Short mmCIF file of all heavy atoms in Angstrom, two decimals:
data_model
loop_
_atom_site.label_atom_id
_atom_site.label_comp_id
_atom_site.label_asym_id
_atom_site.label_seq_id
_atom_site.Cartn_x
_atom_site.Cartn_y
_atom_site.Cartn_z
N PHE C 1494 64.31 72.20 157.74
CA PHE C 1494 63.92 73.49 157.30
C PHE C 1494 64.15 73.57 155.70
O PHE C 1494 63.22 74.07 155.03
CB PHE C 1494 64.89 74.50 157.91
CG PHE C 1494 64.73 75.92 157.37
CD1 PHE C 1494 63.95 76.83 158.05
CD2 PHE C 1494 65.36 76.34 156.23
CE1 PHE C 1494 63.87 78.08 157.49
CE2 PHE C 1494 65.21 77.62 155.62
CZ PHE C 1494 64.40 78.52 156.33
N MET C 1495 65.30 73.08 155.24
CA MET C 1495 65.55 73.17 153.76
C MET C 1495 64.51 72.38 152.91
O MET C 1495 64.10 72.66 151.86
CB MET C 1495 66.98 72.80 153.41
CG MET C 1495 68.01 73.75 153.91
SD MET C 1495 67.77 75.37 153.31
CE MET C 1495 67.79 75.24 151.55
N HIS C 1496 64.20 71.19 153.60
CA HIS C 1496 63.23 70.27 152.67
C HIS C 1496 61.92 70.91 152.76
O HIS C 1496 61.18 70.94 151.76
CB HIS C 1496 63.18 68.94 153.33
CG HIS C 1496 64.39 68.03 152.85
ND1 HIS C 1496 65.58 68.13 153.45
CD2 HIS C 1496 64.41 67.21 151.77
CE1 HIS C 1496 66.45 67.27 152.63
NE2 HIS C 1496 65.70 66.69 151.75
N LYS C 1497 61.49 71.44 153.88
CA LYS C 1497 60.12 72.16 154.04
C LYS C 1497 59.98 73.35 153.18
O LYS C 1497 58.96 73.55 152.57
CB LYS C 1497 59.82 72.38 155.45
CG LYS C 1497 58.56 73.10 155.76
CD LYS C 1497 58.33 73.56 157.16
CE LYS C 1497 57.03 74.35 157.38
NZ LYS C 1497 56.85 74.69 158.86
N ASN C 1498 61.00 74.17 153.14
CA ASN C 1498 60.95 75.38 152.44
C ASN C 1498 61.49 75.51 151.14
O ASN C 1498 61.34 76.58 150.49
CB ASN C 1498 61.52 76.49 153.44
CG ASN C 1498 60.76 76.65 154.72
OD1 ASN C 1498 59.74 77.03 154.81
ND2 ASN C 1498 61.47 76.31 155.85
N LEU C 1499 62.22 74.50 150.66
CA LEU C 1499 62.71 74.57 149.31
C LEU C 1499 62.67 73.13 148.63
O LEU C 1499 62.05 72.95 147.64
CB LEU C 1499 64.16 75.13 149.20
CG LEU C 1499 64.71 75.32 147.86
CD1 LEU C 1499 63.95 76.25 146.97
CD2 LEU C 1499 66.16 75.82 148.06
N PHE C 1500 63.47 72.11 149.10
CA PHE C 1500 63.82 70.98 148.45
C PHE C 1500 62.57 70.09 148.16
O PHE C 1500 62.52 69.47 147.03
CB PHE C 1500 64.81 70.12 149.18
CG PHE C 1500 66.15 70.84 149.33
CD1 PHE C 1500 66.88 70.62 150.42
CD2 PHE C 1500 66.62 71.67 148.40
CE1 PHE C 1500 68.11 71.20 150.62
CE2 PHE C 1500 67.94 72.30 148.40
CZ PHE C 1500 68.69 72.03 149.67
N ASP C 1501 61.54 70.07 148.97
CA ASP C 1501 60.35 69.27 148.76
C ASP C 1501 59.49 69.81 147.59
O ASP C 1501 58.56 69.19 147.09
CB ASP C 1501 59.51 69.23 150.00
CG ASP C 1501 60.16 68.35 151.00
OD1 ASP C 1501 61.12 67.70 150.73
OD2 ASP C 1501 59.65 68.23 152.14
N HIS C 1502 59.84 71.09 147.11
CA HIS C 1502 59.06 71.71 146.08
C HIS C 1502 59.74 71.90 144.72
O HIS C 1502 59.07 72.50 143.90
CB HIS C 1502 58.61 73.11 146.65
CG HIS C 1502 58.00 73.06 148.01
ND1 HIS C 1502 56.74 72.53 148.35
CD2 HIS C 1502 58.62 73.35 149.26
CE1 HIS C 1502 56.51 72.61 149.64
NE2 HIS C 1502 57.61 73.02 150.17
N ILE C 1503 60.90 71.55 144.64
CA ILE C 1503 61.57 71.67 143.41
C ILE C 1503 62.28 70.32 143.09
O ILE C 1503 62.13 69.38 143.84
CB ILE C 1503 62.69 72.80 143.45
CG1 ILE C 1503 63.72 72.60 144.53
CG2 ILE C 1503 61.93 74.17 143.58
CD1 ILE C 1503 64.77 73.67 144.53
N ASN C 1504 63.07 70.26 141.94
CA ASN C 1504 63.44 68.95 141.50
C ASN C 1504 64.97 68.71 141.55
O ASN C 1504 65.67 68.11 140.75
CB ASN C 1504 63.13 68.75 140.08
CG ASN C 1504 63.72 69.66 139.09
OD1 ASN C 1504 64.03 70.83 139.40
ND2 ASN C 1504 63.79 69.31 137.78
N ILE C 1505 65.66 69.25 142.69
CA ILE C 1505 67.06 68.93 142.96
C ILE C 1505 67.06 67.47 143.43
O ILE C 1505 66.42 67.13 144.33
CB ILE C 1505 67.74 69.84 143.95
CG1 ILE C 1505 67.71 71.29 143.50
CG2 ILE C 1505 69.10 69.39 144.26
CD1 ILE C 1505 68.28 72.25 144.47
N PRO C 1506 67.90 66.63 142.75
CA PRO C 1506 67.95 65.20 143.18
C PRO C 1506 68.55 65.11 144.57
O PRO C 1506 69.33 65.81 145.09
CB PRO C 1506 68.97 64.59 142.15
CG PRO C 1506 68.96 65.45 141.00
CD PRO C 1506 68.73 66.89 141.51
N GLU C 1507 67.89 64.23 145.34
CA GLU C 1507 68.34 64.08 146.76
C GLU C 1507 69.71 63.87 146.94
O GLU C 1507 70.45 64.38 147.87
CB GLU C 1507 67.51 62.96 147.39
CG GLU C 1507 67.57 62.87 148.92
CD GLU C 1507 67.03 64.12 149.73
OE1 GLU C 1507 65.99 64.58 149.18
OE2 GLU C 1507 67.57 64.36 150.79
N GLU C 1508 70.42 63.07 146.10
CA GLU C 1508 71.74 62.73 146.08
C GLU C 1508 72.68 64.09 145.86
O GLU C 1508 73.83 63.86 146.05
CB GLU C 1508 72.24 61.58 145.14
CG GLU C 1508 71.97 61.99 143.66
CD GLU C 1508 70.60 61.45 143.18
OE1 GLU C 1508 69.73 61.25 144.01
OE2 GLU C 1508 70.50 61.27 141.99
N ASN C 1509 72.10 65.03 145.34
CA ASN C 1509 72.87 66.31 145.06
C ASN C 1509 72.80 67.25 146.17
O ASN C 1509 73.41 68.39 146.07
CB ASN C 1509 72.43 66.94 143.70
CG ASN C 1509 72.82 66.21 142.52
OD1 ASN C 1509 73.29 65.12 142.61
ND2 ASN C 1509 72.49 66.72 141.31
N ILE C 1510 72.02 67.00 147.20
CA ILE C 1510 71.87 67.85 148.35
C ILE C 1510 72.81 67.47 149.56
O ILE C 1510 72.82 66.36 149.94
CB ILE C 1510 70.39 67.70 148.89
CG1 ILE C 1510 69.39 68.28 147.81
CG2 ILE C 1510 70.17 68.50 150.13
CD1 ILE C 1510 67.97 67.93 148.09
N ASN C 1511 73.62 68.41 149.94
CA ASN C 1511 74.62 68.15 150.91
C ASN C 1511 74.42 69.01 152.18
O ASN C 1511 74.20 70.24 152.16
CB ASN C 1511 75.96 68.44 150.33
CG ASN C 1511 76.39 67.56 149.19
OD1 ASN C 1511 76.79 66.45 149.48
ND2 ASN C 1511 76.18 68.04 147.94
N PHE C 1512 74.58 68.31 153.33
CA PHE C 1512 74.55 68.97 154.65
C PHE C 1512 75.64 68.55 155.46
O PHE C 1512 76.14 67.39 155.49
CB PHE C 1512 73.27 68.65 155.48
CG PHE C 1512 71.98 69.08 154.93
CD1 PHE C 1512 71.15 68.41 154.02
CD2 PHE C 1512 71.45 70.36 155.27
CE1 PHE C 1512 70.01 68.91 153.51
CE2 PHE C 1512 70.26 70.86 154.82
CZ PHE C 1512 69.59 70.11 153.91
N LEU C 1513 76.18 69.41 156.36
CA LEU C 1513 77.14 69.00 157.41
C LEU C 1513 76.29 68.10 158.42
O LEU C 1513 75.08 68.51 158.72
CB LEU C 1513 77.65 70.14 158.10
CG LEU C 1513 78.84 70.92 157.47
CD1 LEU C 1513 78.94 72.36 157.92
CD2 LEU C 1513 80.16 70.14 157.81
N ASN C 1514 76.88 67.06 158.85
CA ASN C 1514 76.13 66.06 159.77
C ASN C 1514 76.46 66.58 161.27
O ASN C 1514 77.55 66.17 161.68
CB ASN C 1514 76.53 64.65 159.51
CG ASN C 1514 75.87 63.72 160.37
OD1 ASN C 1514 74.96 64.02 161.20
ND2 ASN C 1514 76.15 62.46 160.32
N GLY C 1515 75.53 67.15 161.89
CA GLY C 1515 75.74 67.57 163.29
C GLY C 1515 75.76 66.42 164.25
O GLY C 1515 75.99 66.47 165.45
N ASN C 1516 75.34 65.24 163.77
CA ASN C 1516 75.35 64.03 164.65
C ASN C 1516 76.46 63.02 164.38
O ASN C 1516 76.43 61.94 164.79
CB ASN C 1516 73.90 63.36 164.51
CG ASN C 1516 72.89 64.22 165.04
OD1 ASN C 1516 72.74 64.51 166.20
ND2 ASN C 1516 72.00 64.63 164.10
N ALA C 1517 77.42 63.43 163.52
CA ALA C 1517 78.53 62.54 163.22
C ALA C 1517 79.35 62.25 164.49
O ALA C 1517 79.52 63.15 165.28
CB ALA C 1517 79.46 63.20 162.21
N LYS C 1518 79.92 61.01 164.53
CA LYS C 1518 80.63 60.66 165.77
C LYS C 1518 81.93 61.44 165.81
O LYS C 1518 82.35 61.78 166.93
CB LYS C 1518 81.02 59.13 165.59
CG LYS C 1518 79.82 58.21 165.82
CD LYS C 1518 80.24 56.81 165.85
CE LYS C 1518 78.95 55.91 166.16
NZ LYS C 1518 79.37 54.45 166.13
N ASP C 1519 82.49 61.75 164.66
CA ASP C 1519 83.74 62.52 164.69
C ASP C 1519 83.52 63.91 163.88
O ASP C 1519 83.52 63.91 162.66
CB ASP C 1519 84.86 61.70 163.98
CG ASP C 1519 86.20 62.48 163.97
OD1 ASP C 1519 86.24 63.66 164.09
OD2 ASP C 1519 87.25 61.73 163.75
N LEU C 1520 83.09 64.87 164.60
CA LEU C 1520 82.76 66.16 163.98
C LEU C 1520 83.85 66.81 163.16
O LEU C 1520 83.67 67.45 162.12
CB LEU C 1520 82.23 67.10 164.95
CG LEU C 1520 80.83 66.70 165.54
CD1 LEU C 1520 80.52 67.69 166.71
CD2 LEU C 1520 79.74 66.70 164.48
N GLU C 1521 85.07 66.69 163.65
CA GLU C 1521 86.29 67.29 162.91
C GLU C 1521 86.41 66.59 161.57
O GLU C 1521 86.66 67.21 160.54
CB GLU C 1521 87.56 67.14 163.76
CG GLU C 1521 87.46 67.92 165.11
CD GLU C 1521 87.37 69.36 165.04
OE1 GLU C 1521 87.72 69.81 163.89
OE2 GLU C 1521 87.00 69.89 165.95
N GLN C 1522 86.28 65.32 161.58
CA GLN C 1522 86.43 64.44 160.30
C GLN C 1522 85.18 64.92 159.32
O GLN C 1522 85.41 65.08 158.20
CB GLN C 1522 86.48 62.98 160.56
CG GLN C 1522 86.80 62.26 159.24
CD GLN C 1522 88.04 62.54 158.76
OE1 GLN C 1522 89.04 62.54 159.38
NE2 GLN C 1522 88.07 62.74 157.34
N GLU C 1523 84.00 65.03 159.95
CA GLU C 1523 82.92 65.45 159.11
C GLU C 1523 83.14 66.67 158.46
O GLU C 1523 82.79 66.88 157.22
CB GLU C 1523 81.71 65.51 159.99
CG GLU C 1523 80.45 66.07 159.36
CD GLU C 1523 79.96 65.34 158.15
OE1 GLU C 1523 80.24 64.21 158.02
OE2 GLU C 1523 79.10 65.91 157.41
N CYS C 1524 83.73 67.62 159.12
CA CYS C 1524 83.95 68.99 158.60
C CYS C 1524 85.08 68.84 157.42
O CYS C 1524 84.93 69.50 156.39
CB CYS C 1524 84.47 69.95 159.62
SG CYS C 1524 83.19 70.34 160.89
N ALA C 1525 86.03 68.10 157.67
CA ALA C 1525 87.14 67.92 156.62
C ALA C 1525 86.54 67.24 155.37
O ALA C 1525 86.77 67.56 154.26
CB ALA C 1525 88.22 67.06 157.16
N ASP C 1526 85.61 66.28 155.62
CA ASP C 1526 84.93 65.55 154.50
C ASP C 1526 84.07 66.45 153.70
O ASP C 1526 83.89 66.39 152.47
CB ASP C 1526 84.23 64.29 154.99
CG ASP C 1526 85.12 63.19 155.45
OD1 ASP C 1526 86.24 63.22 155.22
OD2 ASP C 1526 84.45 62.39 156.26
N TYR C 1527 83.43 67.37 154.37
CA TYR C 1527 82.50 68.37 153.73
C TYR C 1527 83.34 69.27 152.77
O TYR C 1527 82.84 69.55 151.74
CB TYR C 1527 81.77 69.23 154.82
CG TYR C 1527 80.57 69.79 154.36
CD1 TYR C 1527 79.48 69.06 153.91
CD2 TYR C 1527 80.33 71.18 154.42
CE1 TYR C 1527 78.27 69.65 153.63
CE2 TYR C 1527 79.14 71.81 154.10
CZ TYR C 1527 78.09 70.94 153.58
OH TYR C 1527 76.96 71.58 153.25
N GLU C 1528 84.48 69.68 153.29
CA GLU C 1528 85.21 70.61 152.43
C GLU C 1528 85.74 69.78 151.16
O GLU C 1528 85.79 70.41 150.11
CB GLU C 1528 86.58 70.94 153.22
CG GLU C 1528 86.27 72.06 154.36
CD GLU C 1528 85.83 73.35 153.84
OE1 GLU C 1528 86.03 73.77 152.76
OE2 GLU C 1528 85.10 74.09 154.64
N ASN C 1529 86.06 68.55 151.34
CA ASN C 1529 86.38 67.74 150.17
C ASN C 1529 85.26 67.57 149.15
O ASN C 1529 85.55 67.55 147.96
CB ASN C 1529 86.94 66.35 150.54
CG ASN C 1529 88.27 66.47 151.37
OD1 ASN C 1529 89.10 67.30 150.97
ND2 ASN C 1529 88.57 65.54 152.20
N ARG C 1530 84.09 67.44 149.66
CA ARG C 1530 82.85 67.30 148.86
C ARG C 1530 82.67 68.59 148.06
O ARG C 1530 82.28 68.52 146.88
CB ARG C 1530 81.73 66.93 149.66
CG ARG C 1530 81.57 65.42 150.01
CD ARG C 1530 80.85 65.09 151.35
NE ARG C 1530 79.51 65.54 151.39
CZ ARG C 1530 78.85 65.65 152.55
NH1 ARG C 1530 79.39 65.28 153.67
NH2 ARG C 1530 77.63 66.01 152.53
N ILE C 1531 82.84 69.68 148.68
CA ILE C 1531 82.82 70.96 148.01
C ILE C 1531 83.83 71.14 146.83
O ILE C 1531 83.48 71.41 145.75
CB ILE C 1531 82.82 72.15 148.87
CG1 ILE C 1531 81.69 72.19 149.88
CG2 ILE C 1531 82.98 73.49 148.13
CD1 ILE C 1531 81.90 73.22 151.00
N LYS C 1532 85.01 70.76 147.16
CA LYS C 1532 86.03 70.78 146.12
C LYS C 1532 85.64 69.78 144.98
O LYS C 1532 85.89 70.11 143.84
CB LYS C 1532 87.39 70.38 146.64
CG LYS C 1532 87.96 71.44 147.65
CD LYS C 1532 89.20 71.04 148.30
CE LYS C 1532 89.70 72.06 149.34
NZ LYS C 1532 90.91 71.56 150.03
N GLU C 1533 85.32 68.49 145.34
CA GLU C 1533 84.90 67.58 144.34
C GLU C 1533 83.87 68.08 143.38
O GLU C 1533 83.67 67.69 142.22
CB GLU C 1533 84.60 66.29 144.97
CG GLU C 1533 85.78 65.49 145.54
CD GLU C 1533 85.43 64.33 146.46
OE1 GLU C 1533 84.21 64.11 146.50
OE2 GLU C 1533 86.26 63.70 147.06
N ALA C 1534 82.91 68.92 143.92
CA ALA C 1534 81.73 69.38 143.14
C ALA C 1534 82.20 70.59 142.31
O ALA C 1534 81.42 71.04 141.47
CB ALA C 1534 80.67 69.78 144.09
N GLY C 1535 83.43 71.01 142.38
CA GLY C 1535 83.88 72.12 141.60
C GLY C 1535 83.84 73.44 142.26
O GLY C 1535 84.11 74.48 141.59
N GLY C 1536 83.51 73.51 143.55
CA GLY C 1536 83.39 74.82 144.25
C GLY C 1536 82.05 75.38 144.18
O GLY C 1536 81.19 74.99 143.24
N ILE C 1537 81.69 76.25 144.98
CA ILE C 1537 80.37 76.94 145.07
C ILE C 1537 80.43 78.03 144.09
O ILE C 1537 81.17 78.96 144.17
CB ILE C 1537 80.11 77.31 146.45
CG1 ILE C 1537 79.84 76.12 147.35
CG2 ILE C 1537 78.84 78.25 146.43
CD1 ILE C 1537 79.76 76.46 148.81
#
């Protein structure tokens, strides 16, 4: 959805785009890692 309706049409670098991975083997760890990535980016 995001690529079709926004990302494919503007110039945000792909490596700067973050999603929660709903197919991760360990979803709890994926959620914890996501929080850490937000903090490392300086917050929203």
